[in-house]
Amino acid sequence: MTIRFGVIGTGAIGREHIRRISQTLSGGEIVAVTDVNQEAAKQVVEQFKLDASVYPDDKSLVAAENVDAVLVTSWGPAHEQSVLAAIEEGKYVFCEKPLAVTAEGCMNIVEAEMKHGKRLVQVGFMRRYDSGYVQLKEAIDNNFIGEPLMIRCAHRNPEVAENYSTDMAVTDTLIHEIDVLHWLINDDYKSVQVVFPKKTKHALDHLQDPQIFTIETESGVSINAEVFVNCKYGYDIQCEVIGEEGIVKLPEFPSIVMRKDAKLSTNVLMDWKDRFIEAYDKEIQDFIDSVRETGEPNGPTAWDGYIAAVTSDACVKAQQTGEKEAIVLKERPAFYSKNTECKTV
Amino acid sequence: MTIRFGVIGTGAIGREHIRRISQTLSGGEIVAVTDVNQEAAKQVVEQFKLDASVYPDDKSLVAAENVDAVLVTSWGPAHEQSVLAAIEEGKYVFCEKPLAVTAEGCMNIVEAEMKHGKRLVQVGFMRRYDSGYVQLKEAIDNNFIGEPLMIRCAHRNPEVAENYSTDMAVTDTLIHEIDVLHWLINDDYKSVQVVFPKKTKHALDHLQDPQIFTIETESGVSINAEVFVNCKYGYDIQCEVIGEEGIVKLPEFPSIVMRKDAKLSTNVLMDWKDRFIEAYDKEIQDFIDSVRETGEPNGPTAWDGYIAAVTSDACVKAQQTGEKEAIVLKERPAFYSKNTECKTV
Amino acid sequence: MTIRFGVIGTGAIGREHIRRISQTLSGGEIVAVTDVNQEAAKQVVEQFKLDASVYPDDKSLVAAENVDAVLVTSWGPAHEQSVLAAIEEGKYVFCEKPLAVTAEGCMNIVEAEMKHGKRLVQVGFMRRYDSGYVQLKEAIDNNFIGEPLMIRCAHRNPEVAENYSTDMAVTDTLIHEIDVLHWLINDDYKSVQVVFPKKTKHALDHLQDPQIFTIETESGVSINAEVFVNCKYGYDIQCEVIGEEGIVKLPEFPSIVMRKDAKLSTNVLMDWKDRFIEAYDKEIQDFIDSVRETGEPNGPTAWDGYIAAVTSDACVKAQQTGEKEAIVLKERPAFYSKNTECKTV
Amino acid sequence: MTIRFGVIGTGAIGREHIRRISQTLSGGEIVAVTDVNQEAAKQVVEQFKLDASVYPDDKSLVAAENVDAVLVTSWGPAHEQSVLAAIEEGKYVFCEKPLAVTAEGCMNIVEAEMKHGKRLVQVGFMRRYDSGYVQLKEAIDNNFIGEPLMIRCAHRNPEVAENYSTDMAVTDTLIHEIDVLHWLINDDYKSVQVVFPKKTKHALDHLQDPQIFTIETESGVSINAEVFVNCKYGYDIQCEVIGEEGIVKLPEFPSIVMRKDAKLSTNVLMDWKDRFIEAYDKEIQDFIDSVRETGEPNGPTAWDGYIAAVTSDACVKAQQTGEKEAIVLKERPAFYSKNTECKTV
Ligand SMILES: [Mg+2]
Ligand SMILES: [Mg+2]
Ligand SMILES: [Mg+2]
Ligand SMILES: [Mg+2]
């Protein structure tokens, strides 16, 4: 059984996933597309030589009989409606982050999915499929470091576009740490406080950069998360978990080792697209495989999308107040038991 | 256009490639299988739920109209006949190493392919698709280290089976270095000499282990290649190219970094299957993609298979004589211009 | 001219410095010793075969005509009196940390030294002589990373004695970071806040461990300093300075690289005494050399001792209040111009 | 008891050791100097403000009553005579390499020392005092890697002076590996063969560079030693010992870790003088300490000087013949039992 996808939103990320499903992965095909710009949708069909219909809107695409699963890659504010429409039709949904732009919107989806009675939704948090994070999680779950006590992480970009604003350090950047860290240590967040260190001269006037988030979890783990999006030297994702018995840390991105001009060196990525390219492949392949094999997706859930929304809101508030802000989640429904297992190589 | 594969030989490697094509890669499907053990062939069809016919022998499979490409994964001595049969029918062939068990057999294939008039054959030397080797080659081709002068490499296994013999250090192990190194530095081999260092106590009586091969190239590069197949500590592939301006070296296999028990450490693989798993995926995907897009495979050629056979013969002879043995290749036909480019990520 | 030392306090550190001066370094000799335990003082003379007189107390030792310089290695509360006595006599003083147990005591020494009119005092903050920190400072001073924006550091011990208390995380442990970091970035401290993460089970009831100090500097640099004294895995000093153009980090302690048992590893120290052994040698040799060559010591000043005392007080207060506490220094006298240069190899 | 040194030869190395003994180390002083250039000798006395007499020649210096130990830092051909003169007078000798320029000359010294009846001579092979080699030796002696089977090493300089000739790759460069490797694995050399790889364009016409030496030991260990003295990128000393159970390798020279301009890098030394600066200090300090404490030097012996001379001769012959050349040592006298222990930190 091949999974027949309908794609809502044919911008950059949409096209990237279309290429992935039609040219790289196994077991999926694109049978329907739509976009607010209908011309763009048609061009994509041509560009990728798809055997796919172009639909006028998300509702009609979702309703198409030959669509098994919906890929939501439109702009954020449109996600909630499309995901709810898909659930209504009992279709699977792979939704790029954010699941919805408000915590309330996420809860609407959570409730719709629970009402439907089985999992349909996967959120596009790809880091859980990155081999480095997978190794970290295995080490932690195998008790290699004992109880986690502290996490130090950093999310650094060489530079950002002009329209990147201070709150986007949370909603576009830290959001990936927000998703992956609670999964990594099987914990929930409790509070967050933000410090703005001396600002780099490479940041525009309107942007605080770097920023440091101190996040406390329910069990007392202290997370120190740096966001630095004009760091100049590279795209660099660091994560180190410090436990009672030892420490585990993400590997550097693999590079040949060079000796030249009085330096022993390896390459640091400059383009974020290269960093998680395999993780993107794996998240969609896992979505396809688990739907085919178990009838439910296996990756980040609608509840994870809700956690990200609530935490993200608290982080933005903490940016504004300078105070320690509480991160208050509703009680986790049994439907979303902790530790959804992503398939790993 | 989906490439429809017929598989000759459904042993371990054959099944692995069948899984790959049917469950992981894009653009291929398995439509035919055969094996000297017909029961085994039938079981594979069942195991992987293939929509594939079981043929009595390679000839009939090759001739089947719906077979676009043949995957030769039988035992070595049978390869030549199957590949020749495929060329005869004008079918594409992906043949696992060795292309043929003799240099003469390889030349038969080379001549048949040239007579056919376009490339049909790709040999399963997967290292050219490994991201580490690809980075090395880019650095060398971009003149980052100037002229290569020396190579140091090592091929180490934790242990080998009882039936592993001294010559298999060449034909099963060093063979991968033999293929990848001349490609890496765009050169041809000229001579080889072998040294047997003190033997490890972990090797059985009949086996020389470790062994060191000193290979000289036409341009004068000196290659020092260690084969050590009872090294105990891990499966470890090392390669370092020393040039006039600097040095480049393969990355270690990526691992989380651990601090525990007075050690700072990373993991070394124990199982060779994990080391090149992505390269195996990429070599077959590239075979599929290039056949679809250009009508010819893009990877290691029949001529590369011939180079491997001639070089392998000289290495085995050098094991026996202890002398420096010449590596004498026929002139490279224009048909096989140097520097076949493998597609890289 | 050989520098003739009188040693006040012949406990472990005193004996270590006596060994250093008499058996390893050049240009110094021990001519006088005293200890509250007179027997201990006598034994040291014997043990090291010193040609040295035993004095009944610090005052008489300081006054001895053949004493050029005083080494204060008694317990902390006695330091102030001995240093003041030495200044009174116009003798040079190398005083182990703390210079005095209160900020007021440090100021008494600062004022006495300024009144004397030239530098006599060096405080035993040895990290400024560590080759790793020296390389960091050179890189920063040469503007290699542009303006420093953040520092991440960690001070980890495998375990501590039973009597180690929560405030000693500041006064015994963090005190070294307190001294070295403002020197490293040529800045002054402004405030400190403390977080107590989940406590390790390896810490005794009375001890908070680990602890995280967030220190802000006058120029806005944000310092994240972890103290973790029951980390089990080793004695580990980490320091990373993140600037506008790049990052510099301390080297790991040099170790052979091992491949064994599926691990690629290096050794982590277990004993703190091994970490800075060369820095201890260099700080005393520099004291001797600079006094001989320039008539003044060159290392950490009485003012640095005062900074350490004030900062340490604020850190302990922050442990108790959980609030952000100000670090308020008096104005730096011109006598103690910033950036005292330690001699480096 | 201070060791009173007489120095024969006040060139660069002589002055360096004079500085070391008079300004850095403990327990030695310079009381006599001589040089074929008497003016140079006088200048050195002035430069270092030594309380030392200038002697007209080595014989008179050696005979001076207040000279306890002789430091031979003249040019190589003069060493033998000075060392023999010192032994004649029963004086200790620290002789820079080579002990003598011929194997015969070394044997003359060996015989003179044995006749004298106790060890007087230490040869200036400083690598045995390098902390990296010391760690390697400890690991090997503690059986961490089981039986050593192979060694890979490299000795690389960024460039050499015009007068550096092909044989100097042995006598000036490889000579350090020759000394340290047999000590490292407690073995003796048996044969050597040389390969000249493609020559770097950065070497002058008269010089073969790089060169690879394959040395076999009595127990069968195979040593692959690269000498590359125009490698451009840095001064780099590599050594890796491969054993039955694992591998140990020298650490890189410690450097801060930098992230900048898309590179993660550490510094490689350009100046060989920085690499072993601590080892030079330690070899002389150990000479002083062991003579003071045990009445005999503790470091590399006259017999080690003889081994170096015989091996060096065979290596130069192998450069000329291209053949495998035997390394034939006389039987080791009991007087020079294997495994002289250098003192280590
Ligand atoms: Mg995603
Ligand atoms: Mg293969
Ligand atoms: Mg100190
Ligand atoms: Mg020397």
Side-chain angles (χ1 to χ4, degrees), chain A residues 144 247 249 256-257 259-260 278, chain B residues 135 144 247 249 257 259-260 278:
Chain A
F144 181 80
I247 297 178
K249 199 176 69 129
I256 51 170
V257 182
R259 289 172 194 265
K260 192 169 174 180
E278 287 176 21
Chain B
Q135 289 178 59
F144 182 79
I247 296 179
K249 200 175 68 129
V257 181
R259 291 172 193 267
K260 192 170 175 181
E278 286 177 22

mmCIF file with all atom_site columns, all heavy atoms in Angstrom, chain A residues 144 247 249 256-257 259-260 278, chain B residues 135 144 247 249 257 259-260 278:
data_model
loop_
_atom_site.group_PDB
_atom_site.id
_atom_site.type_symbol
_atom_site.label_atom_id
_atom_site.label_alt_id
_atom_site.label_comp_id
_atom_site.label_asym_id
_atom_site.label_entity_id
_atom_site.label_seq_id
_atom_site.pdbx_PDB_ins_code
_atom_site.Cartn_x
_atom_site.Cartn_y
_atom_site.Cartn_z
_atom_site.occupancy
_atom_site.B_iso_or_equiv
_atom_site.pdbx_formal_charge
_atom_site.auth_seq_id
_atom_site.auth_comp_id
_atom_site.auth_asym_id
_atom_site.auth_atom_id
_atom_site.pdbx_PDB_model_num
ATOM 1   N N   . PHE A 1 144 ? 22.917 5.576  31.242 1.00 0.00 ? 144 PHE A N   1
ATOM 2   C CA  . PHE A 1 144 ? 24.373 5.700  31.142 1.00 0.00 ? 144 PHE A CA  1
ATOM 3   C C   . PHE A 1 144 ? 24.898 6.845  31.988 1.00 0.00 ? 144 PHE A C   1
ATOM 4   O O   . PHE A 1 144 ? 26.009 6.777  32.519 1.00 0.00 ? 144 PHE A O   1
ATOM 5   C CB  . PHE A 1 144 ? 24.772 5.887  29.672 1.00 0.00 ? 144 PHE A CB  1
ATOM 6   C CG  . PHE A 1 144 ? 26.242 5.999  29.451 1.00 0.00 ? 144 PHE A CG  1
ATOM 7   C CD1 . PHE A 1 144 ? 27.047 4.863  29.413 1.00 0.00 ? 144 PHE A CD1 1
ATOM 8   C CD2 . PHE A 1 144 ? 26.850 7.241  29.286 1.00 0.00 ? 144 PHE A CD2 1
ATOM 9   C CE1 . PHE A 1 144 ? 28.412 4.968  29.220 1.00 0.00 ? 144 PHE A CE1 1
ATOM 10  C CE2 . PHE A 1 144 ? 28.221 7.349  29.093 1.00 0.00 ? 144 PHE A CE2 1
ATOM 11  C CZ  . PHE A 1 144 ? 29.001 6.203  29.058 1.00 0.00 ? 144 PHE A CZ  1
ATOM 12  N N   . ILE A 1 247 ? 28.422 12.526 31.473 1.00 0.00 ? 247 ILE A N   1
ATOM 13  C CA  . ILE A 1 247 ? 27.919 13.528 30.536 1.00 0.00 ? 247 ILE A CA  1
ATOM 14  C C   . ILE A 1 247 ? 27.868 12.934 29.138 1.00 0.00 ? 247 ILE A C   1
ATOM 15  O O   . ILE A 1 247 ? 28.756 12.178 28.754 1.00 0.00 ? 247 ILE A O   1
ATOM 16  C CB  . ILE A 1 247 ? 28.845 14.766 30.547 1.00 0.00 ? 247 ILE A CB  1
ATOM 17  C CG1 . ILE A 1 247 ? 28.840 15.426 31.925 1.00 0.00 ? 247 ILE A CG1 1
ATOM 18  C CG2 . ILE A 1 247 ? 28.476 15.748 29.452 1.00 0.00 ? 247 ILE A CG2 1
ATOM 19  C CD1 . ILE A 1 247 ? 29.758 16.620 32.035 1.00 0.00 ? 247 ILE A CD1 1
ATOM 20  N N   . LYS A 1 249 ? 27.119 14.240 24.991 1.00 0.00 ? 249 LYS A N   1
ATOM 21  C CA  . LYS A 1 249 ? 27.077 15.457 24.171 1.00 0.00 ? 249 LYS A CA  1
ATOM 22  C C   . LYS A 1 249 ? 26.870 15.081 22.719 1.00 0.00 ? 249 LYS A C   1
ATOM 23  O O   . LYS A 1 249 ? 27.386 14.050 22.263 1.00 0.00 ? 249 LYS A O   1
ATOM 24  C CB  . LYS A 1 249 ? 28.405 16.212 24.319 1.00 0.00 ? 249 LYS A CB  1
ATOM 25  C CG  . LYS A 1 249 ? 28.362 17.664 23.917 1.00 0.00 ? 249 LYS A CG  1
ATOM 26  C CD  . LYS A 1 249 ? 29.685 18.368 24.186 1.00 0.00 ? 249 LYS A CD  1
ATOM 27  C CE  . LYS A 1 249 ? 30.767 17.867 23.274 1.00 0.00 ? 249 LYS A CE  1
ATOM 28  N NZ  . LYS A 1 249 ? 31.488 18.968 22.572 1.00 0.00 ? 249 LYS A NZ  1
ATOM 29  N N   . ILE A 1 256 ? 35.782 15.787 7.199  1.00 0.00 ? 256 ILE A N   1
ATOM 30  C CA  . ILE A 1 256 ? 37.168 15.372 7.096  1.00 0.00 ? 256 ILE A CA  1
ATOM 31  C C   . ILE A 1 256 ? 38.014 16.257 7.995  1.00 0.00 ? 256 ILE A C   1
ATOM 32  O O   . ILE A 1 256 ? 37.651 17.386 8.315  1.00 0.00 ? 256 ILE A O   1
ATOM 33  C CB  . ILE A 1 256 ? 37.682 15.450 5.644  1.00 0.00 ? 256 ILE A CB  1
ATOM 34  C CG1 . ILE A 1 256 ? 37.400 16.812 5.010  1.00 0.00 ? 256 ILE A CG1 1
ATOM 35  C CG2 . ILE A 1 256 ? 37.112 14.314 4.814  1.00 0.00 ? 256 ILE A CG2 1
ATOM 36  C CD1 . ILE A 1 256 ? 38.107 16.997 3.654  1.00 0.00 ? 256 ILE A CD1 1
ATOM 37  N N   . VAL A 1 257 ? 39.165 15.693 8.387  1.00 0.00 ? 257 VAL A N   1
ATOM 38  C CA  . VAL A 1 257 ? 40.081 16.388 9.274  1.00 0.00 ? 257 VAL A CA  1
ATOM 39  C C   . VAL A 1 257 ? 41.251 16.906 8.434  1.00 0.00 ? 257 VAL A C   1
ATOM 40  O O   . VAL A 1 257 ? 41.852 16.142 7.689  1.00 0.00 ? 257 VAL A O   1
ATOM 41  C CB  . VAL A 1 257 ? 40.597 15.431 10.361 1.00 0.00 ? 257 VAL A CB  1
ATOM 42  C CG1 . VAL A 1 257 ? 41.527 16.165 11.314 1.00 0.00 ? 257 VAL A CG1 1
ATOM 43  C CG2 . VAL A 1 257 ? 39.427 14.791 11.103 1.00 0.00 ? 257 VAL A CG2 1
ATOM 44  N N   . ARG A 1 259 ? 44.894 19.197 7.975  1.00 0.00 ? 259 ARG A N   1
ATOM 45  C CA  . ARG A 1 259 ? 46.074 19.846 8.541  1.00 0.00 ? 259 ARG A CA  1
ATOM 46  C C   . ARG A 1 259 ? 46.618 20.771 7.458  1.00 0.00 ? 259 ARG A C   1
ATOM 47  O O   . ARG A 1 259 ? 47.042 20.308 6.396  1.00 0.00 ? 259 ARG A O   1
ATOM 48  C CB  . ARG A 1 259 ? 47.152 18.808 8.904  1.00 0.00 ? 259 ARG A CB  1
ATOM 49  C CG  . ARG A 1 259 ? 46.773 17.959 10.096 1.00 0.00 ? 259 ARG A CG  1
ATOM 50  C CD  . ARG A 1 259 ? 47.728 16.804 10.351 1.00 0.00 ? 259 ARG A CD  1
ATOM 51  N NE  . ARG A 1 259 ? 47.108 15.891 11.274 1.00 0.00 ? 259 ARG A NE  1
ATOM 52  C CZ  . ARG A 1 259 ? 47.295 15.908 12.608 1.00 0.00 ? 259 ARG A CZ  1
ATOM 53  N NH1 . ARG A 1 259 ? 48.147 16.750 13.143 1.00 0.00 ? 259 ARG A NH1 1
ATOM 54  N NH2 . ARG A 1 259 ? 46.654 15.059 13.375 1.00 0.00 ? 259 ARG A NH2 1
ATOM 55  N N   . LYS A 1 260 ? 46.570 22.046 7.724  1.00 0.00 ? 260 LYS A N   1
ATOM 56  C CA  . LYS A 1 260 ? 47.056 23.002 6.722  1.00 0.00 ? 260 LYS A CA  1
ATOM 57  C C   . LYS A 1 260 ? 47.265 24.354 7.386  1.00 0.00 ? 260 LYS A C   1
ATOM 58  O O   . LYS A 1 260 ? 46.489 24.737 8.259  1.00 0.00 ? 260 LYS A O   1
ATOM 59  C CB  . LYS A 1 260 ? 46.045 23.135 5.582  1.00 0.00 ? 260 LYS A CB  1
ATOM 60  C CG  . LYS A 1 260 ? 46.611 23.892 4.378  1.00 0.00 ? 260 LYS A CG  1
ATOM 61  C CD  . LYS A 1 260 ? 45.702 23.773 3.181  1.00 0.00 ? 260 LYS A CD  1
ATOM 62  C CE  . LYS A 1 260 ? 46.229 24.656 2.053  1.00 0.00 ? 260 LYS A CE  1
ATOM 63  N NZ  . LYS A 1 260 ? 45.369 24.574 0.870  1.00 0.00 ? 260 LYS A NZ  1
ATOM 64  N N   . GLU A 1 278 ? 19.202 14.440 6.745  1.00 0.00 ? 278 GLU A N   1
ATOM 65  C CA  . GLU A 1 278 ? 18.830 13.039 6.934  1.00 0.00 ? 278 GLU A CA  1
ATOM 66  C C   . GLU A 1 278 ? 17.640 12.901 7.881  1.00 0.00 ? 278 GLU A C   1
ATOM 67  O O   . GLU A 1 278 ? 16.815 12.001 7.734  1.00 0.00 ? 278 GLU A O   1
ATOM 68  C CB  . GLU A 1 278 ? 20.009 12.232 7.481  1.00 0.00 ? 278 GLU A CB  1
ATOM 69  C CG  . GLU A 1 278 ? 21.073 11.990 6.433  1.00 0.00 ? 278 GLU A CG  1
ATOM 70  C CD  . GLU A 1 278 ? 22.285 11.277 7.008  1.00 0.00 ? 278 GLU A CD  1
ATOM 71  O OE1 . GLU A 1 278 ? 22.153 10.627 8.077  1.00 0.00 ? 278 GLU A OE1 1
ATOM 72  O OE2 . GLU A 1 278 ? 23.355 11.381 6.404  1.00 0.00 ? 278 GLU A OE2 1
ATOM 73  N N   . GLN B 1 135 ? 34.032 13.754 0.686  1.00 0.00 ? 135 GLN B N   1
ATOM 74  C CA  . GLN B 1 135 ? 34.684 14.985 1.136  1.00 0.00 ? 135 GLN B CA  1
ATOM 75  C C   . GLN B 1 135 ? 36.188 14.963 0.846  1.00 0.00 ? 135 GLN B C   1
ATOM 76  O O   . GLN B 1 135 ? 36.773 15.982 0.464  1.00 0.00 ? 135 GLN B O   1
ATOM 77  C CB  . GLN B 1 135 ? 34.464 15.184 2.634  1.00 0.00 ? 135 GLN B CB  1
ATOM 78  C CG  . GLN B 1 135 ? 33.051 15.553 3.036  1.00 0.00 ? 135 GLN B CG  1
ATOM 79  C CD  . GLN B 1 135 ? 32.923 15.676 4.553  1.00 0.00 ? 135 GLN B CD  1
ATOM 80  O OE1 . GLN B 1 135 ? 33.591 16.473 5.190  1.00 0.00 ? 135 GLN B OE1 1
ATOM 81  N NE2 . GLN B 1 135 ? 32.073 14.860 5.147  1.00 0.00 ? 135 GLN B NE2 1
ATOM 82  N N   . PHE B 1 144 ? 43.166 21.273 -2.540 1.00 0.00 ? 144 PHE B N   1
ATOM 83  C CA  . PHE B 1 144 ? 43.347 21.763 -1.174 1.00 0.00 ? 144 PHE B CA  1
ATOM 84  C C   . PHE B 1 144 ? 44.675 21.313 -0.567 1.00 0.00 ? 144 PHE B C   1
ATOM 85  O O   . PHE B 1 144 ? 45.277 22.021 0.234  1.00 0.00 ? 144 PHE B O   1
ATOM 86  C CB  . PHE B 1 144 ? 42.191 21.277 -0.295 1.00 0.00 ? 144 PHE B CB  1
ATOM 87  C CG  . PHE B 1 144 ? 42.254 21.753 1.124  1.00 0.00 ? 144 PHE B CG  1
ATOM 88  C CD1 . PHE B 1 144 ? 41.861 23.042 1.453  1.00 0.00 ? 144 PHE B CD1 1
ATOM 89  C CD2 . PHE B 1 144 ? 42.724 20.925 2.138  1.00 0.00 ? 144 PHE B CD2 1
ATOM 90  C CE1 . PHE B 1 144 ? 41.927 23.490 2.766  1.00 0.00 ? 144 PHE B CE1 1
ATOM 91  C CE2 . PHE B 1 144 ? 42.797 21.370 3.450  1.00 0.00 ? 144 PHE B CE2 1
ATOM 92  C CZ  . PHE B 1 144 ? 42.396 22.652 3.767  1.00 0.00 ? 144 PHE B CZ  1
ATOM 93  N N   . ILE B 1 247 ? 47.183 17.943 4.637  1.00 0.00 ? 247 ILE B N   1
ATOM 94  C CA  . ILE B 1 247 ? 46.724 16.570 4.821  1.00 0.00 ? 247 ILE B CA  1
ATOM 95  C C   . ILE B 1 247 ? 45.217 16.570 5.005  1.00 0.00 ? 247 ILE B C   1
ATOM 96  O O   . ILE B 1 247 ? 44.668 17.457 5.659  1.00 0.00 ? 247 ILE B O   1
ATOM 97  C CB  . ILE B 1 247 ? 47.398 15.958 6.067  1.00 0.00 ? 247 ILE B CB  1
ATOM 98  C CG1 . ILE B 1 247 ? 48.913 15.861 5.851  1.00 0.00 ? 247 ILE B CG1 1
ATOM 99  C CG2 . ILE B 1 247 ? 46.810 14.589 6.400  1.00 0.00 ? 247 ILE B CG2 1
ATOM 100 C CD1 . ILE B 1 247 ? 49.674 15.291 7.031  1.00 0.00 ? 247 ILE B CD1 1
ATOM 101 N N   . LYS B 1 249 ? 42.013 13.745 6.091  1.00 0.00 ? 249 LYS B N   1
ATOM 102 C CA  . LYS B 1 249 ? 41.795 12.440 6.708  1.00 0.00 ? 249 LYS B CA  1
ATOM 103 C C   . LYS B 1 249 ? 40.309 12.175 6.839  1.00 0.00 ? 249 LYS B C   1
ATOM 104 O O   . LYS B 1 249 ? 39.536 13.101 7.104  1.00 0.00 ? 249 LYS B O   1
ATOM 105 C CB  . LYS B 1 249 ? 42.430 12.449 8.107  1.00 0.00 ? 249 LYS B CB  1
ATOM 106 C CG  . LYS B 1 249 ? 42.710 11.072 8.669  1.00 0.00 ? 249 LYS B CG  1
ATOM 107 C CD  . LYS B 1 249 ? 43.442 11.146 10.001 1.00 0.00 ? 249 LYS B CD  1
ATOM 108 C CE  . LYS B 1 249 ? 42.553 11.723 11.078 1.00 0.00 ? 249 LYS B CE  1
ATOM 109 N NZ  . LYS B 1 249 ? 42.513 10.875 12.296 1.00 0.00 ? 249 LYS B NZ  1
ATOM 110 N N   . VAL B 1 257 ? 29.618 12.152 22.408 1.00 0.00 ? 257 VAL B N   1
ATOM 111 C CA  . VAL B 1 257 ? 30.839 12.282 23.194 1.00 0.00 ? 257 VAL B CA  1
ATOM 112 C C   . VAL B 1 257 ? 30.482 12.068 24.658 1.00 0.00 ? 257 VAL B C   1
ATOM 113 O O   . VAL B 1 257 ? 29.566 12.703 25.168 1.00 0.00 ? 257 VAL B O   1
ATOM 114 C CB  . VAL B 1 257 ? 31.458 13.676 22.987 1.00 0.00 ? 257 VAL B CB  1
ATOM 115 C CG1 . VAL B 1 257 ? 32.744 13.815 23.771 1.00 0.00 ? 257 VAL B CG1 1
ATOM 116 C CG2 . VAL B 1 257 ? 31.682 13.935 21.501 1.00 0.00 ? 257 VAL B CG2 1
ATOM 117 N N   . ARG B 1 259 ? 31.596 11.588 28.820 1.00 0.00 ? 259 ARG B N   1
ATOM 118 C CA  . ARG B 1 259 ? 32.540 11.762 29.926 1.00 0.00 ? 259 ARG B CA  1
ATOM 119 C C   . ARG B 1 259 ? 32.078 10.861 31.048 1.00 0.00 ? 259 ARG B C   1
ATOM 120 O O   . ARG B 1 259 ? 31.007 11.076 31.610 1.00 0.00 ? 259 ARG B O   1
ATOM 121 C CB  . ARG B 1 259 ? 32.572 13.214 30.404 1.00 0.00 ? 259 ARG B CB  1
ATOM 122 C CG  . ARG B 1 259 ? 33.198 14.167 29.415 1.00 0.00 ? 259 ARG B CG  1
ATOM 123 C CD  . ARG B 1 259 ? 33.054 15.627 29.793 1.00 0.00 ? 259 ARG B CD  1
ATOM 124 N NE  . ARG B 1 259 ? 33.402 16.442 28.656 1.00 0.00 ? 259 ARG B NE  1
ATOM 125 C CZ  . ARG B 1 259 ? 34.630 16.947 28.416 1.00 0.00 ? 259 ARG B CZ  1
ATOM 126 N NH1 . ARG B 1 259 ? 35.596 16.772 29.291 1.00 0.00 ? 259 ARG B NH1 1
ATOM 127 N NH2 . ARG B 1 259 ? 34.870 17.637 27.326 1.00 0.00 ? 259 ARG B NH2 1
ATOM 128 N N   . LYS B 1 260 ? 32.859 9.857  31.343 1.00 0.00 ? 260 LYS B N   1
ATOM 129 C CA  . LYS B 1 260 ? 32.460 8.943  32.412 1.00 0.00 ? 260 LYS B CA  1
ATOM 130 C C   . LYS B 1 260 ? 33.669 8.129  32.857 1.00 0.00 ? 260 LYS B C   1
ATOM 131 O O   . LYS B 1 260 ? 34.501 7.758  32.022 1.00 0.00 ? 260 LYS B O   1
ATOM 132 C CB  . LYS B 1 260 ? 31.355 8.005  31.913 1.00 0.00 ? 260 LYS B CB  1
ATOM 133 C CG  . LYS B 1 260 ? 30.699 7.220  33.047 1.00 0.00 ? 260 LYS B CG  1
ATOM 134 C CD  . LYS B 1 260 ? 29.467 6.492  32.572 1.00 0.00 ? 260 LYS B CD  1
ATOM 135 C CE  . LYS B 1 260 ? 28.898 5.622  33.697 1.00 0.00 ? 260 LYS B CE  1
ATOM 136 N NZ  . LYS B 1 260 ? 27.716 4.883  33.243 1.00 0.00 ? 260 LYS B NZ  1
ATOM 137 N N   . GLU B 1 278 ? 24.713 3.991  4.766  1.00 0.00 ? 278 GLU B N   1
ATOM 138 C CA  . GLU B 1 278 ? 24.218 5.065  3.896  1.00 0.00 ? 278 GLU B CA  1
ATOM 139 C C   . GLU B 1 278 ? 24.831 4.994  2.507  1.00 0.00 ? 278 GLU B C   1
ATOM 140 O O   . GLU B 1 278 ? 24.185 5.343  1.514  1.00 0.00 ? 278 GLU B O   1
ATOM 141 C CB  . GLU B 1 278 ? 24.530 6.426  4.520  1.00 0.00 ? 278 GLU B CB  1
ATOM 142 C CG  . GLU B 1 278 ? 23.644 6.741  5.699  1.00 0.00 ? 278 GLU B CG  1
ATOM 143 C CD  . GLU B 1 278 ? 24.028 8.058  6.340  1.00 0.00 ? 278 GLU B CD  1
ATOM 144 O OE1 . GLU B 1 278 ? 24.663 8.887  5.671  1.00 0.00 ? 278 GLU B OE1 1
ATOM 145 O OE2 . GLU B 1 278 ? 23.694 8.232  7.524  1.00 0.00 ? 278 GLU B OE2 1
#
